[in-house]
Amino acid sequence: MTKIFTVDSFTDKPFAGNPAGVCLLDKNKDDGWLLNVAAEMNLSETAFVKKETGAFSLRWFTPKVEVELCGHATLASAHILWQEGILKPGEEAVFNTVFSGKLTAKKEGDEITLNFPLIPVKDSHSTPELESALGDKPVYVGDCGVGEYNYLIEFESEDQIINLKPDFSLLAKIPKFGFIVTAKAENKNYDFVSRYFAPAKGINEDPVTGSAHCSLAPYWSGKLNKNEMNAYQASHRGGYLKVRIENDRVLLIGKAVTVLESNLIF
């Protein structure tokens, strides 16, 4: 049997943050099987982890497609490796990924620190189609992500971010996979807020998106003149994380809680 878990990431309590599937493989499986499991889990991402010599292979699937980078499912995977005793608390988790190279995670108390690539934001421009789909007018639009498949979109206020009601059918027609919307925080407990929409990948709204912060961190670092920041993703579940810039890397720091443990029998 194959062990599989549901883990809530970027939260310290169950039923908050972003739920991810974590499937521990003892042998390679074909892509069709991986996609079927991800569809069965029906979470924004399911991670598939297999032990290698000195590291672990790691892949992420939505219910529809494989993705190039996923923060919350990587956090969940590292959490499970320590929880299950596969790694000792002081050991570093090393993940080899297909699209994003080597990623690492360290456990410090009840927090996990992910070492991820910094993904810069390039100036772009808004369009009537984008503004119609989002239902509001942004103050900045940039391109980011692998192949520049994301828009990073700044709005003037935190209230605008919280109150956005996108038309997902219209968003899905725009030739980008993801839409990171963000604003400077008005709450003193964090520096900036965000939400993430990806209807083309089968995810209308992702609860807490670690990979989006690979671009949010350098973007807000430049605007706020800070290398360490607190972030809040204002989805209905909500999630908190800390980010830190170190050269060409972004450290994503958060907590995780296991809510389900089971076995696949097929």
Side-chain angles (χ1 to χ4, degrees):
M1 292 187 185
T2 302
K3 296 190 78 172
I4 194 163
F5 305 82
T6 300
V7 177
D8 289 342
S9 295
F10 297 117
T11 181
D12 60 359
K13 59 185 179 181
F15 315 122
N18 198 353
V22 179
C23 184
L24 300 180
L25 301 176
D26 57 7
K27 60 183 178 181
N28 289 325
K29 296 282 192 177
D30 65 71
D31 287 7
W33 186 89
L34 301 178
L35 192 56
N36 282 335
V37 171
E40 187 78 9
M41 294 295 285
N42 198 30
L43 299 170
S44 58
E45 271 89 10
T46 296
F48 296 90
V49 185
K50 186 172 77 69
K51 188 172 179 58
E52 300 177 332
T53 303
F56 298 87
S57 66
L58 177 63
R59 296 174 72 182
W60 314 276
F61 284 78
T62 77
K64 288 189 174 182
V65 296
E66 184 171 11
V67 296
E68 293 84 358
L69 185 65
C70 180
H72 82 282
T74 305
L75 183 75
S77 299
H79 168 78
I80 290 298
L81 292 177
W82 286 305
Q83 174 189 289
E84 295 300 294
I86 299 169
L87 287 177
K88 296 176 182 177
E91 284 187 281
E92 182 179 61
V94 179
F95 298 109
N96 293 321
T97 72
V98 176
F99 301 103
S100 299
K102 185 175 81 170
L103 306 174
T104 63
K106 293 181 179 179
K107 183 174 175 61
E108 300 170 358
D110 59 353
E111 290 187 329
I112 295 171
T113 299
L114 305 178
N115 189 315
F116 267 41
L118 183 151
I119 301 175
V121 180
K122 299 179 181 179
D123 292 348
S124 186
H125 58 86
S126 187
T127 65
E129 293 79 11
L130 179 63
E131 292 175 13
S132 178
L134 291 173
D136 208 341
K137 186 176 180 65
V139 297
Y140 174 84
V141 176
D143 295 320
C144 58
V146 179
E148 298 182 355
Y149 62 73
N150 279 328
Y151 274 135
L152 187 147
I153 305 158
E154 183 187 353
F155 286 90
E156 191 167 340
S157 73
E158 180 177 333
D159 282 345
Q160 284 177 285
I161 299 300
I162 293 169
N163 293 319
L164 277 181
K165 294 180 174 60
D167 184 324
F168 294 115
S169 63
L170 291 180
L171 273 186
K173 295 176 182 178
I174 296 173
K176 292 281 185 182
F177 283 131
F179 305 84
I180 307 166
V181 297
T182 187
K184 183 179 177 181
E186 295 160 14
N187 186 310
K188 293 181 180 179
N189 292 326
Y190 36 89
D191 295 285
F192 62 87
V193 299
S194 67
R195 291 171 69 188
Y196 182 70
F197 313 120
K201 291 196 291 185
I203 309 162
N204 280 347
E205 180 165 5
D206 195 35
V208 194
T209 315
S211 60
H213 289 78
C214 294
S215 294
L216 286 163
Y219 180 76
W220 284 109
S221 177
K223 291 181 72 74
L224 302 177
N225 196 28
K226 290 183 174 183
N227 275 349
E228 297 186 29
M229 292 164 287
N230 294 319
Y232 176 63
Q233 191 154 333
S235 66
H236 69 286
R237 290 173 65 102
Y240 297 87
L241 62 157
K242 293 182 280 189
V243 298
R244 184 162 72 241
I245 306 287
E246 287 192 358
N247 300 315
D248 63 344
R249 307 292 291 181
V250 174
L251 303 186
L252 308 174
I253 304 164
K255 301 177 182 180
V257 180
T258 303
V259 295
L260 180 67
E261 177 179 345
S262 190
N263 294 290
L264 291 168
I265 60 175
F266 296 103

